[in-house]
């Protein structure tokens, strides 16, 4: 704050928004002059250091500039625009300046992302995060009841949004951990409330984001949830993407080891999409390999994908792991997948996702009819 004040004009105004965020109002200033002032502030901070506990630290800043036009009369709108530009500066490498422009595609995406973050937070508070499920079909042996939990967001008007609409914003702005915690708690509660369905269930798959894996408190939070539920851990499978696992290998291994010690299973999602997928099987003790859909969707149209899928299955079988083919959009692929050695299949050709409540009701009714 002191450094900034030294390099501001007498008619400028500065206030601390919170944390390390400051707002500066440049009175009667054109864009070119604002950029010149911002660069002066950036250089001043970059040249400054502070001492703490016998060490010296450098300081840098990201600056976002928003013009105040005659149409903008709401201070909150002005701050939001500057905030979007500031986040863009951070994404572009930090220690730089960006100007908010309504027509800029990156700024537009930032605006949309921030709107989604606000919607996500409201949806969590108002109970508008709902669970869907997609069945996973066994290709060998007797039929089993397994499915993956999928999250949906319902807006205030009742429109249901799939995860690809809001999860990218959640991951970009740190809300993925909140969603993961809520989804796991909701799924365990629903399974706990339906013992007949739980008895018939073979495996419930739950996705874990890279953000959650990196969070130091997430593992203990899941352990606490497992301690207070009657759901047998052996009926749960936590899915981690290869990207999430290698992004924080130490925490990923800690999470995997603790969940497996409890009796849960671990699946490596999108397997084969990374450059070193097979190498990670040496360090990540997973139980299930979910073969990335890029190898499945064109399986019948080229000679390469079948070879790759067969090799994945042979490696998995040698290591005692189960394989699941993702993105199975056509049941005509079932015989080919069976021939290649795939153990299970998942996709719209197998089952179109439905509300978890509906799946529980349907399987419970079917089980009761069988017993009768």
């Amino acid at each position: 704050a002191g450094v900034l004040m030294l390099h501001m004009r007498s008619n400028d105004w500065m206030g601390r928004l919170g944390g390390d965020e400051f707002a500066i109002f440049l009175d009667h200033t054109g864009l070119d002059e604002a950029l010149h002032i911002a660069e002066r502030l950036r250089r001043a901070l970059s040249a400054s250091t502070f001492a703490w506990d016998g060490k010296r630290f450098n300081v840098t800043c990201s600056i976002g500039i928003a013009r105040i036009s005659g149409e903008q009369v709401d201070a909150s709108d002005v701050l939001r625009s500057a905030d979007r530009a500031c986040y863009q500066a951070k994404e572009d490498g930090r220690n730089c300046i960006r100007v908010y422009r309504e027509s800029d595609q990156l700024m537009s995406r930032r605006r949309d992302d921030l709107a989604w973050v606000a919607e996500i937070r409201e949806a969590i508070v108002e109970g508008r995060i709902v669970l869907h499920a997609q069945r996973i079909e066994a290709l060998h042996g007797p039929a089993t009841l397994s499915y993956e939990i999928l999250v949906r967001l319902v807006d205030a008007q009742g429109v249901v949004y799939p995860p690809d609409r809001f999860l990218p914003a959640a991951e970009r702005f740190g809300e993925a951990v909140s969603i993961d915690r809520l989804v796991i708690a909701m799924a365990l509660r629903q399974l706990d409330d339906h013992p007949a369905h739980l008895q018939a269930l073979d495996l419930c798959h739950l996705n874990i984001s890279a953000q959650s894996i990196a969070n130091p408190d997430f593992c203990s939070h899941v352990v606490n949830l497992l301690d207070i539920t009657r759901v047998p851990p052996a009926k749960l499978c936590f899915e981690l993407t290869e990207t999430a696992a290698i992004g924080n290998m130490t925490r990923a291994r800690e999470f995997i080891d603790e969940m497996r010690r409890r009796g849960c299973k671990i699946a490596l999602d999108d397997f084969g999409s990374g450059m070193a997928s097979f190498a990670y099987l040496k360090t990540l003790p997973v139980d299930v390999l979910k073969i990335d859909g890029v190898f499945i969707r064109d399986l019948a149209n080229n000679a390469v994908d079948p070879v790759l899928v067969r090799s994945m299955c042979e490696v998995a079988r040698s290591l005692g792991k189960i394989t699941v083919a993702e993105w199975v959009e056509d049941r005509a692929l079932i015989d080919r997948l069976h021939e290649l050695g795939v153990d299970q299949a998942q996709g719209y050709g197998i089952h179109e996702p439905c509300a978890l409540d509906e799946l529980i009701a349907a399987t419970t009714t079917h089980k009761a009819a069988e017993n009768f």
Side-chain angles (χ1 to χ4, degrees), residues 68-125:
I68 303 174
S69 66
E71 299 174 356
Q72 285 178 309
V73 294
D74 190 329
S76 297
D77 289 341
V78 177
L79 281 172
R80 275 194 292 269
S81 298
D83 190 46
R84 290 163 191 154
C86 190
Y87 269 105
Q88 191 60 54
K90 291 180 181 179
E91 284 195 351
D92 288 347
R94 300 175 180 269
N95 197 28
C96 61
I97 303 163
R98 292 294 179 265
V99 178
Y100 177 80
R101 294 182 174 88
E102 189 69 33
S103 60
D104 192 302
Q105 288 186 350
L106 289 174
M107 296 295 179
S108 177
R109 189 193 72 182
R110 173 67 58 191
R111 182 180 65 248
D112 293 342
D113 284 352
L114 287 172
W116 271 119
V117 169
E119 181 66 32
I120 290 167
R121 290 171 178 169
E122 290 179 6
I124 289 175
V125 172

Side-chain angles (χ1 to χ4, degrees), residues 5-232:
M5 290 292 288
L6 286 173
H7 293 83
M8 287 171 58
R9 304 169 304 179
S10 60
N11 60 330
D12 295 334
W13 175 93
M14 180 178 72
R16 179 168 173 263
L17 299 176
D20 58 353
E21 293 187 337
F22 294 82
I24 298 175
F25 175 70
L26 305 178
D27 189 26
H28 291 92
T29 304
L31 181 58
D32 288 343
E33 188 178 0
L35 283 165
H36 177 75
I37 294 170
E39 178 60 19
R40 188 170 70 217
L41 296 175
R42 188 195 67 78
R43 287 182 179 179
L45 282 173
S46 296
S48 67
T49 61
F50 71 93
W52 178 260
D53 197 22
K55 298 178 182 178
R56 301 197 68 82
F57 298 87
N58 293 101
V59 179
T60 62
C61 66
S62 300
I63 300 177
I65 297 177
R67 299 181 65 179
I68 303 174
S69 66
E71 299 174 356
Q72 285 178 309
V73 294
D74 190 329
S76 297
D77 289 341
V78 177
L79 281 172
R80 275 194 292 269
S81 298
D83 190 46
R84 290 163 191 154
C86 190
Y87 269 105
Q88 191 60 54
K90 291 180 181 179
E91 284 195 351
D92 288 347
R94 300 175 180 269
N95 197 28
C96 61
I97 303 163
R98 292 294 179 265
V99 178
Y100 177 80
R101 294 182 174 88
E102 189 69 33
S103 60
D104 192 302
Q105 288 186 350
L106 289 174
M107 296 295 179
S108 177
R109 189 193 72 182
R110 173 67 58 191
R111 182 180 65 248
D112 293 342
D113 284 352
L114 287 172
W116 271 119
V117 169
E119 181 66 32
I120 290 167
R121 290 171 178 169
E122 290 179 6
I124 289 175
V125 172
E126 297 172 6
R128 291 189 281 107
I129 298 294
V130 297
L131 302 186
H132 279 51
Q134 184 176 48
R135 291 193 63 159
I136 301 171
E137 184 175 306
L139 304 184
H140 304 272
T144 58
L145 175 58
S146 295
Y147 50 78
E148 178 182 344
I149 296 293
L150 306 171
V151 65
R152 301 286 188 267
L153 184 149
V154 183
D155 70 11
Q157 287 70 47
V159 179
V160 180
Y161 290 96
D164 60 353
R165 292 292 300 276
F166 60 90
L167 282 187
E171 291 169 351
R172 193 169 290 121
F173 285 90
E175 295 297 325
V177 178
S178 298
I179 293 176
D180 285 354
R181 289 185 174 194
L182 178 62
V183 167
I184 295 172
M186 291 173 64
L188 291 177
R189 189 180 309 121
Q190 284 191 257
L191 293 177
D192 211 356
D193 289 342
H194 297 86
H197 172 82
L198 183 58
Q199 184 179 3
L201 176 66
D202 182 60
L203 209 56
C204 172
H205 290 241
L206 294 157
N207 289 285
I208 307 298
S209 68
Q211 203 175 97
S212 293
I213 289 298
N215 186 290
D217 301 320
F218 183 76
C219 184
S220 59
H221 178 79
V222 175
V223 167
N224 290 336
L225 289 176
L226 293 176
D227 285 341
I228 62 176
T229 183
R230 292 173 294 180
V231 177

